[in-house]
Amino acid sequence: MNRQRVCVLGSTGSIGVNTLDVVARHPDRYEIVALSAMSRVDELLAQCLTCKPRFAVMPDQAAAARLRERLRDAGSATQVLDGADKLAEIAAHPEVDTVMAAIVGAAGLAPAIAAARAGKRLLLANKEAIVVGGALFMQAVEAGGATLLPIDSEHSAIFQCLPEDRSTWAQRVDHIVLTASGGPFRTRDPKTLADVTPDQACAHPNWVMGRKISVDSATMMNKALEVIEARWLFNLTPEQIRVLIHPQSIIHSMVVCRDQSVLAQLGTPDMRVPIAYGLSFPERITSGASRLDLLATPGLSFEEADAVRFPGLHLSWQALRAPEGSTTVLNAANEVAVDAFLNGRLRFDRIHALNEHCLGTVALSASDVGSIDGLLALDARVRDVALRQVASWM
């Protein structure tokens, strides 16, 4: 059996690290051809020395120079490429079969689309790429004949509950239910959230994640972005997507069928499960995750997603019903908001206010959504609006 040649974009983040863990368990099935990171030279160096990829990519040229020198000193044959354009180049490289798209934020849009256009097996962990790209992203998948496999635990759960024949999905599905843990502030009085610190927001009760996605989970903006992602992945209307709080994070999501049967995917909260499924689809391989012990599992409970405690969640449906490009606006504003919060320039309870301000302020035109350049220009415009608003509140 020929081994799948894998490129991991964002290899030093939590998804990237878990991907390398799964790959290492199956050396007969997979080999790492390329890795990328933004600025973590030490971590990427260690990965290169272990995995021995042909390529390592760092958009930051200074970081790439340091990595190049240290790999040379270590006698490594890995070729270091620098510049953001090299991410798209390596994602579409003919020696790559499978691309794990795990770059955080809108920066992952261009390489994800490049992989799609090149017809790769595209494991999508970077939800922002499809939130920003929307129709353009899905057109690239169709045009390139790519195999698009969701890695977010919720979307992987939905995908696992559906038949392999995508043409039957519309006939079967009444609606889907995305589950959410509720994050660290599920039971906290919303009036007390102004004083939340970054460390408190990043202390997720169930999942181990990067700081950006942890803050998104605390505000439920992560779930808002997942609603938008689900609309495109499964070709659903906004009304066909619902969200429930499920504190135990055991049921990862559900499909409600036309006959009102409910199909659910259960498992321990470990990202190696959806990663392994994406790598091996339509087969199943061991992931390294612990077995779900149903006898030791606490009672499973569900709650409504509180609009007072989590107002950001409901911006997803607003953006989906607004003019095309609105989801790009929401994502860009949120990236600025989270960065400002993590760096002490924005109160936690103003993340939603900033997102809502940008969604209601930025004007849109058809030229904003017809190309990658148009989407990235819109993204930059929103960031400028958001940064000026943050400055006005300081």
Side-chain angles (χ1 to χ4, degrees), residues 112-134:
I113 286 183
R117 288 174 174 166
K120 306 299 184 184
R121 174 185 284 247
L122 178 54
L123 312 185
L124 189 66
N126 168 243
K127 66 175 64 64
E128 293 90 347
I130 199 168
V131 169
V132 172

Side-chain angles (χ1 to χ4, degrees), residues 251-262:
I251 296 178
H252 297 300
S253 277
M254 296 173 272
V255 174
V256 181
C257 302
R258 290 286 181 91
D259 62 3
Q260 298 308 301
S261 297
V262 180

Side-chain angles (χ1 to χ4, degrees), residues 2 7 14 19 49 65 68 82 89 126 137 143 160 179 194 202 204 245 255 270 280 291 321 329 348 356 381-382 392:
N2 291 331
C7 166
S14 61
T19 300
L49 294 178
R68 190 178 290 116
D82 58 69
E89 181 180 314
N126 168 243
F137 181 91
Q160 292 180 57
T179 57
C202 291
H204 196 282
I245 303 296
V255 174
D270 190 322
S280 63
R291 181 177 299 171
R321 296 182 179 114
V329 173
F348 179 83
E356 190 172 41
R381 197 164 80 243
V382 177
S392 75

Side-chain angles (χ1 to χ4, degrees), residues 117-279:
R117 288 174 174 166
K120 306 299 184 184
R121 174 185 284 247
L122 178 54
L123 312 185
L124 189 66
N126 168 243
K127 66 175 64 64
E128 293 90 347
I130 199 168
V131 169
V132 172
L136 188 72
F137 181 91
M138 296 307 295
Q139 288 163 10
V141 170
E142 184 174 358
T147 301
L148 179 61
L149 298 163
I151 299 301
D152 270 344
S153 61
E154 295 82 2
H155 301 87
S156 177
I158 298 296
F159 187 76
Q160 292 180 57
C161 289
L162 293 170
E164 289 182 28
D165 184 356
R166 296 174 186 245
S167 68
T168 67
W169 288 1
Q171 303 165 3
R172 293 170 178 261
V173 178
D174 182 81
H175 66 276
I176 67 171
V177 178
L178 301 177
T179 57
S181 70
F185 308 133
R186 179 177 65 87
T187 60
R188 183 161 165 171
D189 184 346
K191 296 176 182 177
T192 69
L193 296 179
D195 297 327
V196 163
T197 68
D199 285 345
Q200 289 172 330
C202 291
H204 196 282
N206 299 336
W207 297 92
V208 177
M209 306 180 291
R211 287 175 74 79
K212 195 272 182 182
I213 194 171
S214 295
V215 175
D216 282 345
S217 180
T219 63
M220 286 279 276
M221 274 303 302
N222 187 44
K223 204 57 51 179
L225 299 178
E226 288 176 8
V227 168
I228 297 166
E229 183 182 6
R231 177 263 177 271
W232 291 107
L233 283 174
F234 306 113
N235 194 26
L236 300 169
T237 65
E239 292 72 26
Q240 288 180 289
I241 307 167
R242 301 177 189 175
V243 173
L244 284 177
I245 303 296
H246 171 50
Q248 296 81 24
S249 295
I250 297 297
I251 296 178
H252 297 300
S253 277
M254 296 173 272
V255 174
V256 181
C257 302
R258 290 286 181 91
D259 62 3
Q260 298 308 301
S261 297
V262 180
L263 308 179
Q265 188 262 339
L266 287 71
T268 54
D270 190 322
M271 285 306 300
R272 289 177 296 179
V273 174
I275 289 168
Y277 187 66
L279 284 167

Side-chain angles (χ1 to χ4, degrees), residues 7 9 36-38 56-61 64 68 80-93 103 107-115 372-373 376:
C7 166
L9 301 176
S36 87
M38 177 58 73
V57 184
M58 299 198 82
D60 183 280
Q61 293 185 343
R68 190 178 290 116
V80 179
L81 308 176
D82 58 69
D85 60 318
K86 294 300 191 292
L87 293 170
E89 181 180 314
I90 206 68
H93 198 283
I103 296 174
L109 174 63
I113 286 183
I372 294 178
D373 288 344
L376 293 179

